Amino acid sequence: MTKRHAEESLEEAVSTASPASKKPRMERNLNGEGAPPNGDTSVLPLHTRSNGDAQHRAASTLQKVDETQQEEPDEDEVDTSLEEHSALTSHKRQEVPTEGYTDLYLDTINRSLLDFDFEKLCSVTLSNINVYACLVCGKYYQGRGSKSHAYFHALDVGHHVFVNMETKRVYVLPEGYEVTSKSLEDIKFVVDPRYTKEEVAKLDSEPRSSWDLGGKKYIPGFVGLNNIKENDYLNVVVHALAHVPPLRNFFMLEDLSSRPQLAQRFSILVRKIWNPRAFKSHVSPHELLQEVSLRSNKRFNLIEQSDPVDFLSWFLNHLHLALGGSKTKPGTSIIQKVFQGKLKVESQQITAKADAGDRLRFEEAAEVKVEVNRFLMLTLDLPPAPLFQDEHDRNIIPQVPLSNILSKYDGIRSQEHLAHRRRYRLLHPLPPYLIFHIKRFSRNKFVTERNPTIVTFPVRSLDMAPYVEPSPADHSPGEPIWYDLVANITHEAIRSRDDSVEGETPKKVWRVQLRDKAREEWIQVQDLFVEEVRKEILFLGESYVQVWERRRGSKKRI
């Protein structure tokens, strides 16, 4: 077989320059250099054909446009257009929506799935930094950049509308532009309700009813709080504090963005309780619970039931510090201005000595020490519960008037405690609001005992003048000091099952009874259950904590 002759001589092949590297060839192709004059891409290397095809299609498109305009395109203009339309250029995110498409994707928002009560943590990274909420499914994601979880959620699932939980600005992803539609104002209000002074001033004077998305009627301020597991002790305390007008108005109107999270989260919870435009007729205290658990070193949490008095005492003191209050100087926060009062304590030491007959004799010291202490809460002691049953073999449940257990502070009756005899007397001026703790539980090394004594009390016109030391400069002698009931936290012991063993610790159920000033009605709230209750039967429950409001006028009301 004869050899086929070469098409070119060896000398010509050697003199030919070596092929350029891949990178320069790609750059020349992108810049429009080195392309075949007839547009044939078949002679190009395989790895550059795709780019050449894209350039060829772009050039054809530009040629058609130029023919319609009857102008011959300039080579520089074609090159610039090719560079802008290259498949290798990065995607630029939109700053504003395309004209005529400002409401794109807003019809996909599902308000019934939105729940902004839970802690703002990314569902993937559990981070609380730069969190966005998907307005289609309600999940939380971190960031909105091209590498963020919210961005990938928009691409994978097709959910495009997100709201920043801190700035309340709404964005469409993956495009990245902000939506300023007024139809989203209701969502922004539910995320962080804000009120004017005029709206807050009408809360106790104008009756108002609202309806949630499901058409359920509710009264703003008297909504159920979700009992996630065992946090009913916190729910009743939050409701009681949310119905103290000076405290409520402060947390609804003041800007607490520079304060610790404890104050911020309680403020948000109070504003949500009084929200007249809520999507649902109940609120979850999850955010506040997480912060309380963190600050108390898990002393108060949502999986173990605690005592409302213990939590109330801890919460008021830490809330006072979170608002910038002083540990030594009184009246430095709204907490102390509303609840703090002064109490005079007279103490006399008791010593035991043996006389000549070796008989034990108690002697009181001649010196009587007088101290003035400040309080946020007054403890009232119940008389001992009866140990025997009646003639029908039933336990006797005694009753005692509130005025009887208040006599502890009349300055006359004394109590013996730790080898001291003490007498207590309130001092002027009394605080605008008084908190009574009716002590029902006593603990020893073995068990916790409950005193079921019922305390009877008036709903209005409790006269506190007999328990205050006279001071003509502060209050006219003989004039009454009227207080009206605002909130009443009650306890009920419920057996877990009917065949429970005698002596088994029953389950504690906490309820709160609140006064609706606008309607002059009483409403009882137990977790998610809200119902109206008659004021004549309020005392039938085992009252545990009461909040009383001082009346401005001196006229008695019934």
PDB file of all heavy atoms in Angstrom, residues 227 230-237 305-309 440-441 489-494 507-512 525-527 542-545:
ATOM      1  N   ASN A 227     -50.699  26.581  77.301  1.00  0.00           N
ATOM      2  CA  ASN A 227     -49.960  25.799  78.299  1.00  0.00           C
ATOM      3  C   ASN A 227     -49.180  24.726  77.546  1.00  0.00           C
ATOM      4  O   ASN A 227     -49.704  23.655  77.236  1.00  0.00           O
ATOM      5  CB  ASN A 227     -50.917  25.178  79.311  1.00  0.00           C
ATOM      6  CG  ASN A 227     -50.185  24.474  80.444  1.00  0.00           C
ATOM      7  OD1 ASN A 227     -48.959  24.496  80.524  1.00  0.00           O
ATOM      8  ND2 ASN A 227     -50.939  23.841  81.325  1.00  0.00           N
ATOM      9  N   GLU A 230     -46.242  22.485  81.315  1.00  0.00           N
ATOM     10  CA  GLU A 230     -46.569  22.745  82.717  1.00  0.00           C
ATOM     11  C   GLU A 230     -46.265  24.204  83.071  1.00  0.00           C
ATOM     12  O   GLU A 230     -45.729  24.477  84.133  1.00  0.00           O
ATOM     13  CB  GLU A 230     -45.758  21.815  83.634  1.00  0.00           C
ATOM     14  CG  GLU A 230     -46.088  20.348  83.509  1.00  0.00           C
ATOM     15  CD  GLU A 230     -47.451  19.991  84.078  1.00  0.00           C
ATOM     16  OE1 GLU A 230     -48.010  20.840  84.810  1.00  0.00           O
ATOM     17  OE2 GLU A 230     -47.951  18.883  83.806  1.00  0.00           O
ATOM     18  N   ASN A 231     -46.613  25.119  82.183  1.00  0.00           N
ATOM     19  CA  ASN A 231     -46.296  26.530  82.412  1.00  0.00           C
ATOM     20  C   ASN A 231     -47.522  27.346  82.785  1.00  0.00           C
ATOM     21  O   ASN A 231     -47.553  28.565  82.586  1.00  0.00           O
ATOM     22  CB  ASN A 231     -45.630  27.149  81.185  1.00  0.00           C
ATOM     23  CG  ASN A 231     -46.466  27.040  79.928  1.00  0.00           C
ATOM     24  OD1 ASN A 231     -46.469  26.003  79.278  1.00  0.00           O
ATOM     25  ND2 ASN A 231     -47.169  28.109  79.579  1.00  0.00           N
ATOM     26  N   ASP A 232     -48.570  26.695  83.347  1.00  0.00           N
ATOM     27  CA  ASP A 232     -49.754  27.446  83.730  1.00  0.00           C
ATOM     28  C   ASP A 232     -49.469  28.415  84.868  1.00  0.00           C
ATOM     29  O   ASP A 232     -50.160  29.428  85.024  1.00  0.00           O
ATOM     30  CB  ASP A 232     -50.898  26.510  84.098  1.00  0.00           C
ATOM     31  CG  ASP A 232     -50.493  25.492  85.162  1.00  0.00           C
ATOM     32  OD1 ASP A 232     -49.271  25.361  85.407  1.00  0.00           O
ATOM     33  OD2 ASP A 232     -51.374  24.840  85.733  1.00  0.00           O
ATOM     34  N   TYR A 233     -48.440  28.132  85.683  1.00  0.00           N
ATOM     35  CA  TYR A 233     -48.079  29.051  86.763  1.00  0.00           C
ATOM     36  C   TYR A 233     -47.607  30.389  86.201  1.00  0.00           C
ATOM     37  O   TYR A 233     -47.835  31.439  86.807  1.00  0.00           O
ATOM     38  CB  TYR A 233     -46.978  28.428  87.627  1.00  0.00           C
ATOM     39  CG  TYR A 233     -45.646  28.297  86.934  1.00  0.00           C
ATOM     40  CD1 TYR A 233     -44.676  29.285  87.056  1.00  0.00           C
ATOM     41  CD2 TYR A 233     -45.351  27.189  86.145  1.00  0.00           C
ATOM     42  CE1 TYR A 233     -43.458  29.176  86.412  1.00  0.00           C
ATOM     43  CE2 TYR A 233     -44.137  27.070  85.509  1.00  0.00           C
ATOM     44  CZ  TYR A 233     -43.194  28.059  85.636  1.00  0.00           C
ATOM     45  OH  TYR A 233     -41.985  27.952  84.992  1.00  0.00           O
ATOM     46  N   LEU A 234     -46.945  30.368  85.057  1.00  0.00           N
ATOM     47  CA  LEU A 234     -46.503  31.615  84.421  1.00  0.00           C
ATOM     48  C   LEU A 234     -47.656  32.324  83.737  1.00  0.00           C
ATOM     49  O   LEU A 234     -47.724  33.562  83.744  1.00  0.00           O
ATOM     50  CB  LEU A 234     -45.383  31.309  83.429  1.00  0.00           C
ATOM     51  CG  LEU A 234     -44.805  32.500  82.655  1.00  0.00           C
ATOM     52  CD1 LEU A 234     -43.284  32.380  82.544  1.00  0.00           C
ATOM     53  CD2 LEU A 234     -45.395  32.581  81.246  1.00  0.00           C
ATOM     54  N   ASN A 235     -48.565  31.574  83.142  1.00  0.00           N
ATOM     55  CA  ASN A 235     -49.677  32.181  82.411  1.00  0.00           C
ATOM     56  C   ASN A 235     -50.530  33.067  83.307  1.00  0.00           C
ATOM     57  O   ASN A 235     -50.906  34.186  82.931  1.00  0.00           O
ATOM     58  CB  ASN A 235     -50.543  31.082  81.784  1.00  0.00           C
ATOM     59  CG  ASN A 235     -49.806  30.304  80.709  1.00  0.00           C
ATOM     60  OD1 ASN A 235     -48.718  30.691  80.278  1.00  0.00           O
ATOM     61  ND2 ASN A 235     -50.384  29.201  80.279  1.00  0.00           N
ATOM     62  N   VAL A 236     -50.838  32.579  84.523  1.00  0.00           N
ATOM     63  CA  VAL A 236     -51.717  33.356  85.401  1.00  0.00           C
ATOM     64  C   VAL A 236     -51.015  34.626  85.899  1.00  0.00           C
ATOM     65  O   VAL A 236     -51.640  35.675  86.052  1.00  0.00           O
ATOM     66  CB  VAL A 236     -52.203  32.487  86.576  1.00  0.00           C
ATOM     67  CG1 VAL A 236     -53.109  31.373  86.077  1.00  0.00           C
ATOM     68  CG2 VAL A 236     -51.033  31.903  87.367  1.00  0.00           C
ATOM     69  N   VAL A 237     -49.707  34.544  86.137  1.00  0.00           N
ATOM     70  CA  VAL A 237     -48.971  35.720  86.593  1.00  0.00           C
ATOM     71  C   VAL A 237     -48.885  36.761  85.487  1.00  0.00           C
ATOM     72  O   VAL A 237     -49.073  37.959  85.726  1.00  0.00           O
ATOM     73  CB  VAL A 237     -47.564  35.309  87.070  1.00  0.00           C
ATOM     74  CG1 VAL A 237     -46.692  36.528  87.318  1.00  0.00           C
ATOM     75  CG2 VAL A 237     -47.663  34.467  88.339  1.00  0.00           C
ATOM     76  N   GLN A 305     -43.871  22.217  86.783  1.00  0.00           N
ATOM     77  CA  GLN A 305     -44.747  23.222  87.371  1.00  0.00           C
ATOM     78  C   GLN A 305     -44.097  23.848  88.598  1.00  0.00           C
ATOM     79  O   GLN A 305     -43.517  23.158  89.428  1.00  0.00           O
ATOM     80  CB  GLN A 305     -46.083  22.595  87.746  1.00  0.00           C
ATOM     81  CG  GLN A 305     -47.173  23.596  88.048  1.00  0.00           C
ATOM     82  CD  GLN A 305     -48.493  22.909  88.332  1.00  0.00           C
ATOM     83  OE1 GLN A 305     -48.577  22.057  89.203  1.00  0.00           O
ATOM     84  NE2 GLN A 305     -49.523  23.268  87.586  1.00  0.00           N
ATOM     85  N   SER A 306     -44.193  25.163  88.692  1.00  0.00           N
ATOM     86  CA  SER A 306     -43.624  25.895  89.819  1.00  0.00           C
ATOM     87  C   SER A 306     -44.720  26.657  90.546  1.00  0.00           C
ATOM     88  O   SER A 306     -45.888  26.662  90.122  1.00  0.00           O
ATOM     89  CB  SER A 306     -42.534  26.856  89.339  1.00  0.00           C
ATOM     90  OG  SER A 306     -41.478  26.159  88.714  1.00  0.00           O
ATOM     91  N   ASP A 307     -44.335  27.301  91.627  1.00  0.00           N
ATOM     92  CA  ASP A 307     -45.292  28.066  92.424  1.00  0.00           C
ATOM     93  C   ASP A 307     -45.441  29.463  91.835  1.00  0.00           C
ATOM     94  O   ASP A 307     -44.443  30.144  91.582  1.00  0.00           O
ATOM     95  CB  ASP A 307     -44.801  28.154  93.869  1.00  0.00           C
ATOM     96  CG  ASP A 307     -45.870  28.683  94.795  1.00  0.00           C
ATOM     97  OD1 ASP A 307     -46.130  29.901  94.748  1.00  0.00           O
ATOM     98  OD2 ASP A 307     -46.431  27.892  95.567  1.00  0.00           O
ATOM     99  N   PRO A 308     -46.664  29.941  91.598  1.00  0.00           N
ATOM    100  CA  PRO A 308     -46.833  31.288  91.038  1.00  0.00           C
ATOM    101  C   PRO A 308     -46.242  32.390  91.904  1.00  0.00           C
ATOM    102  O   PRO A 308     -45.743  33.392  91.374  1.00  0.00           O
ATOM    103  CB  PRO A 308     -48.360  31.427  90.917  1.00  0.00           C
ATOM    104  CG  PRO A 308     -48.876  30.043  90.856  1.00  0.00           C
ATOM    105  CD  PRO A 308     -47.951  29.232  91.706  1.00  0.00           C
ATOM    106  N   VAL A 309     -46.274  32.227  93.234  1.00  0.00           N
ATOM    107  CA  VAL A 309     -45.711  33.258  94.108  1.00  0.00           C
ATOM    108  C   VAL A 309     -44.193  33.319  93.973  1.00  0.00           C
ATOM    109  O   VAL A 309     -43.603  34.403  93.915  1.00  0.00           O
ATOM    110  CB  VAL A 309     -46.133  33.004  95.570  1.00  0.00           C
ATOM    111  CG1 VAL A 309     -45.371  33.929  96.509  1.00  0.00           C
ATOM    112  CG2 VAL A 309     -47.626  33.216  95.724  1.00  0.00           C
ATOM    113  N   ARG A 440     -50.980  29.232 101.519  1.00  0.00           N
ATOM    114  CA  ARG A 440     -51.746  27.995 101.628  1.00  0.00           C
ATOM    115  C   ARG A 440     -50.858  26.767 101.798  1.00  0.00           C
ATOM    116  O   ARG A 440     -51.323  25.728 102.263  1.00  0.00           O
ATOM    117  CB  ARG A 440     -52.620  27.797 100.387  1.00  0.00           C
ATOM    118  CG  ARG A 440     -53.749  28.791 100.288  1.00  0.00           C
ATOM    119  CD  ARG A 440     -54.732  28.415  99.207  1.00  0.00           C
ATOM    120  NE  ARG A 440     -55.857  29.347  99.218  1.00  0.00           N
ATOM    121  CZ  ARG A 440     -56.916  29.234  99.991  1.00  0.00           C
ATOM    122  NH1 ARG A 440     -57.012  28.204 100.827  1.00  0.00           N
ATOM    123  NH2 ARG A 440     -57.898  30.106  99.944  1.00  0.00           N
ATOM    124  N   PHE A 441     -49.640  26.840 101.401  1.00  0.00           N
ATOM    125  CA  PHE A 441     -48.781  25.658 101.389  1.00  0.00           C
ATOM    126  C   PHE A 441     -47.673  25.812 102.431  1.00  0.00           C
ATOM    127  O   PHE A 441     -47.054  26.871 102.556  1.00  0.00           O
ATOM    128  CB  PHE A 441     -48.159  25.455 100.008  1.00  0.00           C
ATOM    129  CG  PHE A 441     -49.179  25.254  98.924  1.00  0.00           C
ATOM    130  CD1 PHE A 441     -49.602  26.317  98.133  1.00  0.00           C
ATOM    131  CD2 PHE A 441     -49.736  24.003  98.705  1.00  0.00           C
ATOM    132  CE1 PHE A 441     -50.541  26.135  97.139  1.00  0.00           C
ATOM    133  CE2 PHE A 441     -50.679  23.814  97.719  1.00  0.00           C
ATOM    134  CZ  PHE A 441     -51.091  24.874  96.932  1.00  0.00           C
ATOM    135  N   ILE A 489     -55.833  35.121  91.496  1.00  0.00           N
ATOM    136  CA  ILE A 489     -55.291  33.831  91.074  1.00  0.00           C
ATOM    137  C   ILE A 489     -55.742  32.768  92.063  1.00  0.00           C
ATOM    138  O   ILE A 489     -55.538  32.906  93.276  1.00  0.00           O
ATOM    139  CB  ILE A 489     -53.753  33.882  90.992  1.00  0.00           C
ATOM    140  CG1 ILE A 489     -53.304  34.895  89.929  1.00  0.00           C
ATOM    141  CG2 ILE A 489     -53.178  32.506  90.673  1.00  0.00           C
ATOM    142  CD1 ILE A 489     -51.799  35.068  89.855  1.00  0.00           C
ATOM    143  N   THR A 490     -56.360  31.719  91.550  1.00  0.00           N
ATOM    144  CA  THR A 490     -56.906  30.674  92.400  1.00  0.00           C
ATOM    145  C   THR A 490     -56.213  29.342  92.134  1.00  0.00           C
ATOM    146  O   THR A 490     -55.649  29.112  91.056  1.00  0.00           O
ATOM    147  CB  THR A 490     -58.412  30.500  92.172  1.00  0.00           C
ATOM    148  OG1 THR A 490     -58.634  30.066  90.821  1.00  0.00           O
ATOM    149  CG2 THR A 490     -59.143  31.809  92.414  1.00  0.00           C
ATOM    150  N   HIS A 491     -56.277  28.479  93.144  1.00  0.00           N
ATOM    151  CA  HIS A 491     -55.694  27.142  93.067  1.00  0.00           C
ATOM    152  C   HIS A 491     -56.787  26.102  93.219  1.00  0.00           C
ATOM    153  O   HIS A 491     -57.754  26.294  93.968  1.00  0.00           O
ATOM    154  CB  HIS A 491     -54.642  26.953  94.178  1.00  0.00           C
ATOM    155  CG  HIS A 491     -54.246  25.531  94.382  1.00  0.00           C
ATOM    156  ND1 HIS A 491     -54.850  24.719  95.333  1.00  0.00           N
ATOM    157  CD2 HIS A 491     -53.317  24.769  93.762  1.00  0.00           C
ATOM    158  CE1 HIS A 491     -54.303  23.528  95.280  1.00  0.00           C
ATOM    159  NE2 HIS A 491     -53.375  23.521  94.356  1.00  0.00           N
ATOM    160  N   GLU A 492     -56.627  25.012  92.498  1.00  0.00           N
ATOM    161  CA  GLU A 492     -57.541  23.885  92.647  1.00  0.00           C
ATOM    162  C   GLU A 492     -56.736  22.595  92.599  1.00  0.00           C
ATOM    163  O   GLU A 492     -55.881  22.416  91.715  1.00  0.00           O
ATOM    164  CB  GLU A 492     -58.595  23.873  91.537  1.00  0.00           C
ATOM    165  CG  GLU A 492     -59.603  22.747  91.709  1.00  0.00           C
ATOM    166  CD  GLU A 492     -60.667  22.738  90.630  1.00  0.00           C
ATOM    167  OE1 GLU A 492     -60.615  23.626  89.755  1.00  0.00           O
ATOM    168  OE2 GLU A 492     -61.521  21.832  90.642  1.00  0.00           O
ATOM    169  N   ALA A 493     -56.986  21.728  93.561  1.00  0.00           N
ATOM    170  CA  ALA A 493     -56.310  20.433  93.610  1.00  0.00           C
ATOM    171  C   ALA A 493     -57.196  19.398  92.927  1.00  0.00           C
ATOM    172  O   ALA A 493     -58.348  19.198  93.314  1.00  0.00           O
ATOM    173  CB  ALA A 493     -56.035  20.033  95.053  1.00  0.00           C
ATOM    174  N   ILE A 494     -56.653  18.742  91.898  1.00  0.00           N
ATOM    175  CA  ILE A 494     -57.402  17.758  91.122  1.00  0.00           C
ATOM    176  C   ILE A 494     -56.642  16.441  91.147  1.00  0.00           C
ATOM    177  O   ILE A 494     -55.444  16.391  90.856  1.00  0.00           O
ATOM    178  CB  ILE A 494     -57.591  18.230  89.662  1.00  0.00           C
ATOM    179  CG1 ILE A 494     -58.409  19.520  89.634  1.00  0.00           C
ATOM    180  CG2 ILE A 494     -58.281  17.155  88.838  1.00  0.00           C
ATOM    181  CD1 ILE A 494     -58.637  20.053  88.248  1.00  0.00           C
ATOM    182  N   LYS A 507     -52.878  16.972  91.458  1.00  0.00           N
ATOM    183  CA  LYS A 507     -52.360  17.912  90.471  1.00  0.00           C
ATOM    184  C   LYS A 507     -52.864  19.309  90.779  1.00  0.00           C
ATOM    185  O   LYS A 507     -54.021  19.521  91.136  1.00  0.00           O
ATOM    186  CB  LYS A 507     -52.805  17.489  89.073  1.00  0.00           C
ATOM    187  CG  LYS A 507     -52.289  18.397  87.976  1.00  0.00           C
ATOM    188  CD  LYS A 507     -52.785  17.957  86.607  1.00  0.00           C
ATOM    189  CE  LYS A 507     -52.285  18.912  85.536  1.00  0.00           C
ATOM    190  NZ  LYS A 507     -52.789  18.520  84.186  1.00  0.00           N
ATOM    191  N   LYS A 508     -51.984  20.282  90.617  1.00  0.00           N
ATOM    192  CA  LYS A 508     -52.340  21.679  90.869  1.00  0.00           C
ATOM    193  C   LYS A 508     -52.800  22.336  89.572  1.00  0.00           C
ATOM    194  O   LYS A 508     -52.125  22.234  88.552  1.00  0.00           O
ATOM    195  CB  LYS A 508     -51.155  22.448  91.442  1.00  0.00           C
ATOM    196  CG  LYS A 508     -50.660  21.935  92.792  1.00  0.00           C
ATOM    197  CD  LYS A 508     -49.451  22.718  93.263  1.00  0.00           C
ATOM    198  CE  LYS A 508     -48.956  22.182  94.603  1.00  0.00           C
ATOM    199  NZ  LYS A 508     -47.732  22.902  95.061  1.00  0.00           N
ATOM    200  N   VAL A 509     -53.930  22.992  89.647  1.00  0.00           N
ATOM    201  CA  VAL A 509     -54.476  23.727  88.506  1.00  0.00           C
ATOM    202  C   VAL A 509     -54.607  25.184  88.905  1.00  0.00           C
ATOM    203  O   VAL A 509     -55.213  25.508  89.940  1.00  0.00           O
ATOM    204  CB  VAL A 509     -55.849  23.155  88.071  1.00  0.00           C
ATOM    205  CG1 VAL A 509     -56.434  23.988  86.944  1.00  0.00           C
ATOM    206  CG2 VAL A 509     -55.698  21.704  87.635  1.00  0.00           C
ATOM    207  N   TRP A 510     -54.049  26.054  88.074  1.00  0.00           N
ATOM    208  CA  TRP A 510     -54.066  27.489  88.380  1.00  0.00           C
ATOM    209  C   TRP A 510     -54.972  28.214  87.401  1.00  0.00           C
ATOM    210  O   TRP A 510     -54.939  27.960  86.200  1.00  0.00           O
ATOM    211  CB  TRP A 510     -52.649  28.068  88.302  1.00  0.00           C
ATOM    212  CG  TRP A 510     -51.672  27.407  89.224  1.00  0.00           C
ATOM    213  CD1 TRP A 510     -50.719  26.487  88.899  1.00  0.00           C
ATOM    214  CD2 TRP A 510     -51.573  27.602  90.638  1.00  0.00           C
ATOM    215  NE1 TRP A 510     -50.027  26.091  90.012  1.00  0.00           N
ATOM    216  CE2 TRP A 510     -50.526  26.763  91.108  1.00  0.00           C
ATOM    217  CE3 TRP A 510     -52.255  28.394  91.557  1.00  0.00           C
ATOM    218  CZ2 TRP A 510     -50.154  26.702  92.437  1.00  0.00           C
ATOM    219  CZ3 TRP A 510     -51.880  28.324  92.891  1.00  0.00           C
ATOM    220  CH2 TRP A 510     -50.848  27.498  93.320  1.00  0.00           C
ATOM    221  N   ARG A 511     -55.793  29.103  87.954  1.00  0.00           N
ATOM    222  CA  ARG A 511     -56.687  29.941  87.147  1.00  0.00           C
ATOM    223  C   ARG A 511     -56.517  31.389  87.585  1.00  0.00           C
ATOM    224  O   ARG A 511     -56.062  31.661  88.699  1.00  0.00           O
ATOM    225  CB  ARG A 511     -58.144  29.532  87.314  1.00  0.00           C
ATOM    226  CG  ARG A 511     -58.460  28.099  86.892  1.00  0.00           C
ATOM    227  CD  ARG A 511     -59.955  27.830  87.003  1.00  0.00           C
ATOM    228  NE  ARG A 511     -60.312  26.476  86.602  1.00  0.00           N
ATOM    229  CZ  ARG A 511     -60.384  25.448  87.417  1.00  0.00           C
ATOM    230  NH1 ARG A 511     -60.154  25.627  88.720  1.00  0.00           N
ATOM    231  NH2 ARG A 511     -60.708  24.248  86.982  1.00  0.00           N
ATOM    232  N   VAL A 512     -56.910  32.294  86.718  1.00  0.00           N
ATOM    233  CA  VAL A 512     -56.872  33.707  87.060  1.00  0.00           C
ATOM    234  C   VAL A 512     -58.208  34.335  86.681  1.00  0.00           C
ATOM    235  O   VAL A 512     -58.766  34.055  85.614  1.00  0.00           O
ATOM    236  CB  VAL A 512     -55.698  34.424  86.348  1.00  0.00           C
ATOM    237  CG1 VAL A 512     -55.811  34.325  84.831  1.00  0.00           C
ATOM    238  CG2 VAL A 512     -55.606  35.875  86.789  1.00  0.00           C
ATOM    239  N   VAL A 525     -59.764  32.839  83.216  1.00  0.00           N
ATOM    240  CA  VAL A 525     -58.894  32.286  82.177  1.00  0.00           C
ATOM    241  C   VAL A 525     -58.092  31.143  82.778  1.00  0.00           C
ATOM    242  O   VAL A 525     -57.416  31.307  83.796  1.00  0.00           O
ATOM    243  CB  VAL A 525     -57.937  33.353  81.606  1.00  0.00           C
ATOM    244  CG1 VAL A 525     -57.068  32.751  80.508  1.00  0.00           C
ATOM    245  CG2 VAL A 525     -58.708  34.556  81.080  1.00  0.00           C
ATOM    246  N   GLN A 526     -58.195  29.988  82.142  1.00  0.00           N
ATOM    247  CA  GLN A 526     -57.365  28.833  82.495  1.00  0.00           C
ATOM    248  C   GLN A 526     -56.745  28.316  81.200  1.00  0.00           C
ATOM    249  O   GLN A 526     -57.402  27.652  80.394  1.00  0.00           O
ATOM    250  CB  GLN A 526     -58.175  27.726  83.163  1.00  0.00           C
ATOM    251  CG  GLN A 526     -57.332  26.486  83.491  1.00  0.00           C
ATOM    252  CD  GLN A 526     -58.169  25.287  83.855  1.00  0.00           C
ATOM    253  OE1 GLN A 526     -59.372  25.412  84.095  1.00  0.00           O
ATOM    254  NE2 GLN A 526     -57.564  24.112  83.889  1.00  0.00           N
ATOM    255  N   ASP A 527     -55.491  28.651  80.982  1.00  0.00           N
ATOM    256  CA  ASP A 527     -54.784  28.276  79.750  1.00  0.00           C
ATOM    257  C   ASP A 527     -55.569  28.809  78.540  1.00  0.00           C
ATOM    258  O   ASP A 527     -55.698  30.012  78.384  1.00  0.00           O
ATOM    259  CB  ASP A 527     -54.579  26.769  79.686  1.00  0.00           C
ATOM    260  CG  ASP A 527     -53.755  26.268  80.880  1.00  0.00           C
ATOM    261  OD1 ASP A 527     -52.946  27.061  81.400  1.00  0.00           O
ATOM    262  OD2 ASP A 527     -53.922  25.103  81.285  1.00  0.00           O
ATOM    263  N   GLU A 542     -59.964  28.704  95.883  1.00  0.00           N
ATOM    264  CA  GLU A 542     -58.900  28.881  96.860  1.00  0.00           C
ATOM    265  C   GLU A 542     -57.983  30.017  96.385  1.00  0.00           C
ATOM    266  O   GLU A 542     -57.039  29.787  95.634  1.00  0.00           O
ATOM    267  CB  GLU A 542     -58.117  27.584  97.041  1.00  0.00           C
ATOM    268  CG  GLU A 542     -58.959  26.445  97.599  1.00  0.00           C
ATOM    269  CD  GLU A 542     -58.148  25.170  97.757  1.00  0.00           C
ATOM    270  OE1 GLU A 542     -56.917  25.213  97.520  1.00  0.00           O
ATOM    271  OE2 GLU A 542     -58.727  24.135  98.125  1.00  0.00           O
ATOM    272  N   SER A 543     -58.290  31.219  96.799  1.00  0.00           N
ATOM    273  CA  SER A 543     -57.504  32.375  96.383  1.00  0.00           C
ATOM    274  C   SER A 543     -56.067  32.243  96.862  1.00  0.00           C
ATOM    275  O   SER A 543     -55.813  31.887  98.019  1.00  0.00           O
ATOM    276  CB  SER A 543     -58.118  33.665  96.936  1.00  0.00           C
ATOM    277  OG  SER A 543     -59.419  33.861  96.420  1.00  0.00           O
ATOM    278  N   TYR A 544     -55.149  32.539  95.964  1.00  0.00           N
ATOM    279  CA  TYR A 544     -53.733  32.381  96.279  1.00  0.00           C
ATOM    280  C   TYR A 544     -52.963  33.700  96.135  1.00  0.00           C
ATOM    281  O   TYR A 544     -52.121  34.024  96.970  1.00  0.00           O
ATOM    282  CB  TYR A 544     -53.134  31.316  95.370  1.00  0.00           C
ATOM    283  CG  TYR A 544     -51.768  30.840  95.805  1.00  0.00           C
ATOM    284  CD1 TYR A 544     -51.558  30.310  97.071  1.00  0.00           C
ATOM    285  CD2 TYR A 544     -50.680  30.909  94.953  1.00  0.00           C
ATOM    286  CE1 TYR A 544     -50.304  29.874  97.482  1.00  0.00           C
ATOM    287  CE2 TYR A 544     -49.416  30.475  95.346  1.00  0.00           C
ATOM    288  CZ  TYR A 544     -49.239  29.957  96.613  1.00  0.00           C
ATOM    289  OH  TYR A 544     -48.003  29.528  97.010  1.00  0.00           O
ATOM    290  N   VAL A 545     -53.249  34.433  95.076  1.00  0.00           N
ATOM    291  CA  VAL A 545     -52.625  35.742  94.849  1.00  0.00           C
ATOM    292  C   VAL A 545     -53.718  36.709  94.422  1.00  0.00           C
ATOM    293  O   VAL A 545     -54.546  36.377  93.556  1.00  0.00           O
ATOM    294  CB  VAL A 545     -51.520  35.681  93.776  1.00  0.00           C
ATOM    295  CG1 VAL A 545     -50.938  37.074  93.527  1.00  0.00           C
ATOM    296  CG2 VAL A 545     -50.412  34.723  94.192  1.00  0.00           C
TER     297      VAL A 545
END
